[in-house]
Amino acid sequence: MKLGIIGLPGSGKSTVFRALTGNCAQSNGKGQDPTLGVVMVEDERLTYLAEHYHPKKVTPVHVEYLDIAGLTGDGKPGREIGDRVLANIRPMDALVHCVRCFDSPVTGPASPVKDWNSVESEMIISDLAVIEKRIERVQKELKKGKKGQSAELSLLEEAKQILDDEKPLRTFPPALESEVLRGYSFLSAKPQLVLLNADDSRSRDEIQKDLDAIREAASDSAQLRVDWLYADAEAEIARLDPEEAREFLEDMELEEDAKNRIVRASFDLLGQMVFLTAGEPEVRAWPIRRGDTALKAAGTIHSDIERGFIRAEVVAFDDFKAAGSMQAAQKAAKVRLEGKEYRVKDGDIILFRFNV
């Protein structure tokens, strides 16, 4: 999962980046170059299986965060987002939009909805410029007698109307589902986690009002989530050992650190879950989209397993834990044989049988 952190200058993106990535390995971003952080996702199920099997290797799911500079909130027709910034944003699976929720001596009082709208508008204008250029080109090609692009033109014109109405392409299903439009990687079509960066003097009630205001302004909850954090404090927590971090969280009356909470919110936003494989060589968590089949899960591991799929031996993690072992789970009739069309569930432990 690749998540790009964006936001206006002064929104505290770099602090949010440190809060979400902690002490993980990072590249040194300079100027417009992004900074990369890779976070291994904590999963108690994976820990339990590792203690049970004592494998040579344990591989959790990881999330990549990219701290992307370059948005100004000053999007105007004819003033497009730079190519370098676009190149960094387009490959991202989703965007973490950092919004300032603290007063600043430089940029003034907090205005979360206004700041969020500024970046939204900048991305909408950028997408509009791309679509207008493409429409012009397709129209010229159609006039020359080239065929097969009428459907694309129709979709582009519909998308243009959405953007002309100052709405993001997240609200236009074909921008997410159509192979024709998905290839453009439109900025405003990307799922977005709006993350309010508050200072710890701001009360939870004040933060909740800001969260509600952005939700109301967004009005497209299917592809957008809103969350918050005390970034300065969380950046310090991310540097501490687990015991010290727990004490810090208790002092701040926080149930858990932001890093784990935001990862869960990102999985929810992208409709992803995890299935598990377990044995002495390796215990591993694999990300997969909700609703994907056993055949798709097999391909996530290796194309040969997908191609030679015979069956999947499946046990739910809770059933495995209750039984105490795979053998006991089999005796309790908790291990099922499933075919290609089985819809994988979160936490399924799967052994694939295949023949190539």
Side-chain angles (χ1 to χ4, degrees):
M1 183 188 297
K2 296 181 179 180
L3 304 174
I5 302 177
I6 63 171
L8 294 177
S11 61
K13 284 193 305 91
S14 296
T15 307
V16 167
F17 177 83
R18 291 196 301 274
L20 298 182
T21 60
N23 294 319
C24 68
Q26 302 169 11
S27 64
N28 295 318
K30 296 180 180 179
Q32 292 287 310
D33 294 331
T35 304
L36 173 68
V38 181
V39 176
M40 299 301 166
V41 179
E42 296 178 13
D43 191 328
E44 293 180 355
R45 299 170 300 189
L46 201 66
T47 302
Y48 179 87
L49 290 174
E51 292 173 350
H52 179 84
Y53 283 100
H54 304 290
K56 296 177 182 177
K57 185 178 181 182
V58 178
T59 307
V61 170
H62 71 273
V63 175
E64 296 181 8
Y65 287 102
L66 209 64
D67 183 4
I68 301 171
L71 297 179
T72 65
D74 192 25
K76 297 177 182 177
R79 184 172 181 176
E80 300 167 28
I81 297 173
D83 289 341
R84 180 182 293 184
V85 177
L86 290 175
N88 291 329
I89 294 178
R90 293 205 187 282
M92 297 296 104
D93 296 316
L95 301 177
V96 177
H97 183 172
C98 177
V99 175
R100 180 171 64 91
C101 196
F102 55 87
D103 297 338
S104 167
V106 177
T107 51
S111 184
V113 174
K114 179 183 176 182
D115 288 353
W116 174 77
N117 270 320
S118 294
V119 174
E120 278 282 281
S121 297
E122 189 170 1
M123 292 193 293
I124 286 171
I125 289 169
S126 177
D127 287 346
L128 188 58
V130 171
I131 285 181
E132 287 174 341
K133 288 178 182 178
R134 181 57 184 167
I135 286 176
E136 184 178 353
R137 181 177 297 177
V138 171
Q139 287 175 335
K140 288 180 180 178
E141 291 175 350
L142 288 172
K143 286 180 181 178
K144 292 178 181 179
K146 291 187 178 182
K147 299 179 180 180
Q149 293 182 311
S150 297
E152 180 184 0
L153 179 61
S154 178
L155 284 172
L156 288 170
E157 288 176 338
E158 287 185 69
K160 181 179 181 301
Q161 184 58 59
I162 296 290
L163 296 171
D164 282 337
D165 291 340
E166 300 182 349
K167 295 180 181 178
L169 291 178
R170 293 190 304 274
T171 63
F172 183 49
L176 307 170
E177 300 164 3
S178 165
E179 291 293 335
V180 174
L181 294 188
R182 277 197 307 181
Y184 290 101
S185 297
F186 293 120
L187 304 187
S188 70
K190 290 189 178 297
Q192 187 177 137
L193 173 62
V194 183
L195 193 56
L196 298 189
N197 176 16
D199 62 19
D200 54 20
S201 66
R202 209 169 188 85
S203 72
R204 307 294 171 82
D205 288 341
E206 290 175 310
I207 292 170
Q208 188 60 52
K209 288 179 181 178
D210 290 328
L211 292 171
D212 292 340
I214 288 182
R215 287 192 185 99
E216 184 177 353
S219 70
D220 60 323
S221 59
Q223 293 295 319
L224 184 140
R225 300 288 185 276
V226 182
D227 214 314
W228 70 281
L229 80 170
Y230 293 134
D232 285 331
E234 293 281 1
E236 290 300 317
I237 291 172
R239 299 171 55 189
L240 302 176
D241 63 49
E243 184 61 36
E244 290 178 316
R246 278 194 294 272
E247 293 178 4
F248 203 144
L249 289 168
E250 289 174 2
D251 290 342
M252 296 190 66
E253 298 182 349
L254 296 171
E255 295 181 3
E256 65 175 335
D257 61 49
K259 180 173 69 174
N260 291 319
R261 192 181 77 244
I262 299 309
V263 164
R264 285 203 309 276
S266 301
F267 266 73
D268 178 61
L269 175 63
L270 290 170
Q272 292 204 341
M273 61 182 187
V274 167
F275 74 92
L276 307 158
T277 55
E280 291 183 3
E282 183 180 23
V283 167
R284 182 162 181 168
W286 302 86
I288 193 172
R289 290 189 64 84
R290 291 195 199 100
D292 276 351
T293 63
L295 187 64
K296 181 72 173 178
T300 301
I301 298 175
H302 199 286
S303 58
D304 284 349
I305 301 177
E306 182 177 17
R307 188 169 68 253
F309 184 100
I310 298 173
R311 66 179 182 271
E313 298 179 11
V314 183
V315 59
F317 172 80
D318 288 342
D319 289 337
F320 177 91
K321 185 176 181 180
S325 69
M326 187 62 73
Q327 186 177 14
Q330 288 171 333
K331 288 183 178 179
K334 295 298 183 180
V335 180
R336 311 182 306 277
L337 299 182
E338 302 287 0
K340 296 179 179 180
E341 299 305 315
Y342 169 70
R343 301 289 177 179
V344 177
K345 297 179 178 60
D346 185 53
D348 275 350
I349 303 170
I350 306 179
L351 173 64
F352 294 99
R353 300 296 185 183
F354 68 102
N355 183 27
V356 178

